[in-house]
Amino acid sequence: MTGEESAESAAGPEAARPLVRSLRLGLDAPRTGPMQAALALACAPLDWLDAHRAGFLHADEEALLTDRLHARRRHGLLIGRYAAKCALAALRPDLDPRALAIRPGVLEQPVLSGASSEKNLGISLSHAGPVAVAVAFPEACPMGIDLERIRPANVALLTSQTHAAERRLLAAHLAAPEAERLTRLWCLKEALSKALRCGLTVPLDLLAIGGVEAKATGLGVTFANFAQYQGLSLAAGNLAAALVLPRPPAVTLALDATEWEAFRHILREAAAWEPGA
C-alpha cells in the first residue's frame, strides 16, 4: 500500500477505486536536521471500507468496530484510519500499515503504536462524511490537521465561537463568503489544538489567530498566544482544511505552491465526489 494506492488487494478489477492522494512535505529544522512529513486525503463509501478494512486495519482498530457503532461513526472511524494509513505509507513505505494501530488517547487524541520501527512518529487526522485528511509527521515536529464542511447554517454558531477582531482580520485578507471564512478560521483553531495535544478542552480564546501572512501557498496565519506555530488554510467546494505546524526559524516548510494547489484541487474533487463516479 503506497500513498497513491487504495488498499484493495482483495478487490477484483471491477471494484470502484476510492479517491486517494498524498503529498510529501519537506521540513528544514536547524536543531534536528531535515525531516519529512506526509499529507493524505481519502474518500470512500462505507461499504467499500468495510469490505477492504482487512487491508489497512490493525487488529486493535478492528476491535473498535462494534455492532453498536452507528453507521456514521463507523464510516468516520474507517475513513479516518484509511487516510492515516495512506499518509503513513507515503512517509514510510517500508512499514506495513496493518502493523500500526491508531488508538484513542486519554484526551481522544490519536496515538500511533505497533511496529517497533514506527517510534517517534505522530499522526493527526480529521474527517467530514466520506472524506478524510491525515498528516503523518516526526514527533520532533508536532502537527495538527482539521477538515470541515462549509455550511451557511453554521455561521451563527461559528460567529459565537470566534472574536470580532480575528473575523475582521481574516475578512481583510480573504475575499470569500462568510461561511467559508468562519469555517476556515475554525479549522485553524482546531488544528492548533491538535498540534498542542489539548484538543478543544481549553478556552477557545487561547487559540485565536494573531496575524495573516501572505504565502506562496496562499492563506497562512500566526496565532496570538502560540507564536511558535503557523497555520495553512485552504478550501475548495464545500470543504475547508487547515494544517498547523511550527513556524520558522524552528521549521521551514518546503512546499511548492503548485503542489499545494494540486492538493487543493483534489480537495475540490473530494467535495464533489460520489461513489462510483
Side-chain angles (χ1 to χ4, degrees):
M1 177 177 177
T2 70
E4 298 297 330
E5 290 177 339
S6 51
E8 53 182 336
S9 57
E14 75 286 353
R17 292 177 62 87
L19 175 65
V20 183
R21 294 293 185 274
S22 63
L23 175 63
R24 291 175 71 91
L25 309 175
L27 306 168
D28 183 14
R31 289 187 177 180
T32 62
M35 297 180 288
Q36 287 199 327
L39 281 174
L41 178 148
C43 187
L46 177 56
D47 56 357
W48 188 96
L49 293 163
D50 260 328
H52 299 90
R53 65 182 189 267
F56 62 92
L57 285 186
H58 185 280
D60 289 352
E61 296 169 321
E62 179 74 34
L64 299 174
L65 297 172
T66 67
D67 292 337
R68 296 187 299 274
L69 200 62
H70 187 275
R72 187 165 65 176
R73 292 194 62 188
R74 185 183 187 91
H75 201 167
L77 188 151
L78 284 170
I79 193 61
R81 293 304 193 280
Y82 184 57
K85 299 303 178 72
C86 289
L88 287 162
L91 181 62
R92 292 287 304 275
D94 57 305
L95 296 179
D96 181 355
R98 294 168 296 183
L100 304 173
I102 301 171
R103 302 180 177 89
V106 296
L107 296 177
E108 295 299 318
Q109 79 277 20
V111 178
L112 186 63
S113 62
S116 60
S117 53
E118 54 70 40
K119 290 180 179 178
N120 302 320
L121 286 183
I123 193 78
S124 181
L125 58 95
S126 184
H127 66 86
V131 187
V133 292
V135 59
F137 54 89
E139 285 195 335
C141 183
M143 296 186 182
I145 200 166
D146 191 52
L147 176 74
E148 303 287 344
R149 291 280 177 186
I150 300 170
R151 294 186 172 98
N154 290 342
V155 165
L157 175 61
L158 293 174
T159 299
S160 71
Q161 301 295 326
T162 55
H163 282 299
E166 59 183 349
R167 294 196 299 271
R168 287 194 299 268
L169 182 62
L170 199 60
H173 293 84
L174 180 61
E178 185 178 23
E180 178 183 327
R181 294 198 310 269
L182 289 170
T183 305
R184 291 173 77 163
L185 179 57
W186 178 261
C187 283
L188 286 160
K189 289 170 175 278
E190 187 152 1
L192 174 62
S193 78
K194 292 177 180 181
L196 296 171
R197 286 207 160 190
C198 63
L200 298 177
T201 62
V202 299
L204 292 177
D205 293 355
L206 290 177
L207 307 175
I209 66 170
V212 179
E213 300 177 325
K215 292 179 174 290
T217 51
L219 183 68
V221 306
T222 55
F223 296 94
N225 299 300
F226 297 93
Q228 68 271 42
Y229 283 96
Q230 62 179 319
L232 299 176
S233 168
L234 71 162
N238 66 352
L239 287 173
L243 174 69
V244 167
L245 69 161
R247 64 180 298 200
V251 170
T252 300
L253 176 63
L255 177 59
D256 186 272
T258 57
E259 293 179 337
W260 187 249
E261 177 61 21
F263 199 78
R264 190 190 66 82
H265 178 77
I266 293 303
L267 189 67
R268 181 179 298 279
E269 188 178 342
W273 184 87
E274 294 181 4

